[in-house]
Amino acid sequence: MGASAGRVRRRGARQHVRPVVAATLGLALLVGCTGSEPSPTATTDRPEASGPPTPTASAIERFPAPAQCTAGSPGLKAAATSSTVVDRSEDVGRTWAGMYVGQSLLTTETDQYVAYYDPDRVMTIAQRKIGVNGLPVSGWTHRALDSTLGWDSHNYVTLAVDRDNALHVSGNMHGTPLEYFRTQPGGNIDTLARVPTMVENTPEDRVTYPVFLRQGNGGLFFYYRDGGSGDGSTFMNRYDEKSKSWSSVVDGQLFDGNGSTQDPHGDWNAYQTQPTFGPDGFFHMLWVWRDTPDVATNSVLTYARTKDFVQWYAADGTPLTLPFRHGEGDVVDPVPSGGGLVNGLQAIGFGSRNRVVVTYSKYDAHGNVQLWAAEPDEGGDWRTHQLTTWDNPMEFEGTGTLSIPFGVAGAEANDDGTLSIEYSCHGARQTLTVDESFAFVSQSGRAPVYPRALTDVRGNDPALGARVAVDLGESYGFDPKHTYVLRWETLGTNHDEPRETWPKDGTALTVALLEDPRGGSPKPFPETHGGQNG
């Protein structure tokens, strides 16, 4: 999905993963695509990291090694593509192609929306009607908004609908004032209007990473970071359809990185995963802390769950106190700064009896990056397990969007009591199967998520890459009846710096309908933002 950040050196050297010009496929883990490849910087040893020691893995000596995560590894066997493009509708329009920035697709029972930037970088919303069979019954209409993108790949645009079917749009922010628009009930984009303030007397001047969430009852939430990388706070708001207004979910911020019990003078900000709705009726969330813009300073993997985003609990049901602070709460793994945590490379899954399983990556004792799993025991203490034995030394450091050669999804329980954990390595999707003690059972290749009709580049510029964004509808609790994806082509990220040349007329933006020829809909690999900084 993105440019390789350098070759993986064998024993005795570590790979420095630095920001690169990357061509992604809609996944910010940037796996296995084209782009510039800087030479890795070899180091002979790692500075000692401060902080609590990382727990010893209980499974490190007990399983045969899965396939190495290196480009071209013979163990990374690919399967045939699992999905085909059934229909490519008329183009939504032309979109900005000067650099990668996230764009969004949302399908409800009655409407389909696309939020994107046009070739002049103007934020634009497209809408068409959806029939009872889940297929479009109208052409696209468009509404340009008074928000123009700069040269910043952080400034994705996202959207959601509330219980009155009003459309909410937010994006184009990186430490800048809130950009937020809303329609009247019904969701007609002709009624989109800027809302300058979401909640009075709440910081909204240095906003980054806007996220909408929907509860099972359709209640709409919105959270964002105010401040900068290494020194920011997270705020969460709830929408009320009757008053058509937002209010704070809690009194103050959800995460407070200003000081901790161990270090009252420290400054951090949290990078959290989007809450995962579990079979137990709870939303489950993970986060890491960062004390500088350098990705190497991620630390302390932490967990919480909630039903209403007001009262939060540890895995054993113990109530947690807000705001969350560095080193406090339900710590899954107290990985120190410099321990190999990368924000976005964490996932929530569920084993038998709905037990929570956390999958993530960090260094082992030899400086090799590995995949790990953790689960709470009956007493609520987290037990960590090393899943891989990769001889794959890397060192994650630097600022900007990083090119990471692997990703990991949440664990899934199988009928025989084993767990399946899907991961990607240099573009190859794999399934790792482990038993209930997390001992290795087997590994198999997974089919690519998308067919070549979507992933092959059609533009003439050799630096263009294909991007695919999943439909937000299912994650919001809708039943779109079909699998739609948003496709476009752009140049890669550029360290948030302007380019001298780029495709001035943009590229085609298309919504495609997918189908698995074996029946059912293809399952996309979860979209993450591994290593994005700032």
Side-chain angles (χ1 to χ4, degrees):
M1 292 174 359
S4 170
R7 297 176 297 279
V8 177
R9 292 179 180 259
R10 305 303 293 168
R11 292 186 184 276
R14 293 185 178 86
Q15 175 188 11
H16 285 254
V17 180
R18 300 182 184 274
V20 296
V21 178
T24 68
L25 186 61
L27 307 181
L29 289 180
L30 315 183
V31 180
C33 293
T34 61
S36 61
E37 181 173 293
S39 299
T41 302
T43 61
T44 57
D45 55 18
R46 181 191 309 281
E48 288 191 8
S50 61
T54 300
T56 301
S58 61
I60 188 169
E61 300 296 339
R62 296 195 295 106
F63 57 84
Q68 292 293 316
C69 183
T70 54
S73 171
L76 299 179
K77 298 178 181 179
T81 303
S82 62
S83 58
T84 58
V85 177
V86 176
D87 172 67
R88 183 175 295 108
S89 70
E90 61 181 290
D91 290 345
V92 179
R94 305 289 291 181
T95 189
W96 166 247
M99 81 218 174
Y100 172 73
V101 64
Q103 306 184 125
S104 295
L105 167 69
L106 168 61
T107 306
T108 72
E109 282 85 358
T110 58
D111 294 271
Q112 191 167 66
Y113 299 97
V114 176
Y116 68 102
Y117 296 101
D118 75 6
D120 295 320
R121 291 181 276 172
V122 175
M123 186 187 294
T124 304
I125 308 301
Q127 178 183 19
R128 66 179 177 180
K129 303 302 291 184
I130 296 294
V132 294
N133 59 356
L135 299 174
V137 293
S138 75
W140 293 101
T141 60
H142 301 80
R143 175 70 186 277
L145 302 176
D146 61 332
S147 183
T148 302
L149 176 70
W151 287 88
D152 196 327
S153 292
H154 292 79
N155 293 25
Y156 64 85
V157 57
T158 188
L159 68 176
V161 296
D162 60 35
R163 285 172 288 204
D164 287 340
N165 292 321
L167 179 69
H168 301 249
V169 179
S170 186
N172 194 22
M173 298 170 292
H174 184 195
T176 53
L178 178 70
E179 297 270 332
Y180 167 61
F181 304 84
R182 185 172 70 238
T183 69
Q184 293 298 314
N188 187 328
I189 61 173
D190 290 338
T191 66
L192 271 168
R194 176 183 287 275
V195 180
T197 300
M198 187 173 278
V199 178
E200 295 286 350
N201 302 316
T202 299
E204 297 178 355
D205 296 326
R206 300 176 60 203
V207 178
T208 311
Y209 304 132
V211 176
F212 290 105
L213 294 170
R214 276 175 56 105
Q215 281 185 296
N217 63 4
L220 187 63
F221 292 80
F222 178 80
Y223 68 86
Y224 62 94
R225 186 188 76 191
D226 191 87
S229 180
D231 185 17
S233 298
T234 301
F235 296 86
M236 177 172 279
N237 302 328
R238 177 194 291 113
Y239 188 68
D240 179 67
E241 285 85 358
K242 290 183 179 180
S243 64
K244 295 182 176 58
S245 65
W246 294 87
S247 61
S248 298
V249 173
V250 296
D251 185 16
Q253 60 263 52
L254 186 62
F255 295 94
D256 184 359
N258 296 315
S260 69
T261 302
Q262 295 83 6
D263 184 0
H265 304 293
D267 287 309
W268 301 267
N269 81 264
Y271 282 87
Q272 68 270 21
T273 62
Q274 184 162 322
T276 299
F277 187 72
D280 55 359
F282 282 86
F283 286 93
H284 301 257
M285 188 166 68
L286 298 167
W287 64 92
V288 298
W289 293 95
R290 175 96 65 82
D291 64 347
T292 77
D294 189 341
V295 69
T297 64
N298 283 317
S299 64
V300 189
L301 177 61
T302 315
Y303 164 88
R305 63 178 181 173
T306 183
K307 287 188 174 181
D308 56 10
F309 300 100
V310 176
Q311 180 60 64
W312 294 77
Y313 301 91
D316 64 358
T318 301
L320 298 174
T321 301
L322 297 179
F324 297 123
R325 297 181 183 274
H326 181 268
E328 301 175 3
D330 196 1
V331 174
V332 175
D333 192 340
V335 181
S337 177
L341 281 179
V342 176
N343 49 292
L345 282 175
Q346 300 85 36
I348 290 281
F350 302 92
S352 60
R353 302 179 301 280
N354 296 336
R355 75 185 193 279
V356 175
V357 178
V358 172
T359 46
Y360 60 107
S361 66
K362 68 170 184 176
Y363 301 135
D364 64 15
H366 305 289
N368 295 320
V369 67
Q370 307 291 353
L371 297 182
W372 299 73
E375 64 172 348
D377 62 20
E378 293 182 358
D381 295 325
W382 288 88
R383 304 298 181 186
T384 63
H385 309 268
Q386 186 175 332
L387 301 177
T388 57
T389 53
W390 294 339
D391 181 14
N392 196 14
M394 299 183 188
E395 188 163 357
F396 302 120
E397 64 175 17
T399 61
T401 301
L402 303 186
S403 177
I404 310 296
F406 59 88
V408 64
E412 295 185 358
N414 300 316
D415 291 341
D416 61 0
T418 61
L419 285 173
S420 292
I421 299 168
E422 186 175 345
Y423 73 96
S424 64
C425 173
H426 292 280
R429 295 173 73 218
Q430 300 289 302
T431 296
L432 192 66
T433 301
V434 297
D435 64 21
E436 288 192 338
S437 65
F438 294 90
F440 176 79
V441 174
S442 65
Q443 178 174 334
S444 59
R446 293 292 300 271
V449 178
Y450 302 117
R452 292 189 60 180
L454 291 182
T455 60
D456 283 353
V457 175
R458 303 169 200 149
N460 296 323
D461 191 325
L464 286 171
R467 325 292 168 171
V468 180
V470 300
D471 191 350
L472 295 173
E474 186 174 354
S475 65
Y476 286 160
F478 296 107
D479 180 14
K481 295 186 176 62
H482 302 283
T483 298
Y484 291 98
V485 294
L486 184 66
R487 184 203 184 274
W488 71 102
E489 295 177 8
T490 74
L491 302 180
T493 58
N494 196 44
H495 307 290
D496 300 337
E497 295 292 336
R499 282 190 165 97
E500 293 184 359
T501 61
W502 66 90
K504 297 297 197 310
D505 60 349
T507 59
L509 181 69
T510 302
V511 172
L513 172 63
L514 300 185
E515 183 178 84
D516 189 328
R518 297 165 299 182
S521 299
K523 178 185 177 183
F525 197 77
E527 184 168 2
T528 60
H529 299 280
Q532 192 170 62
N533 305 307

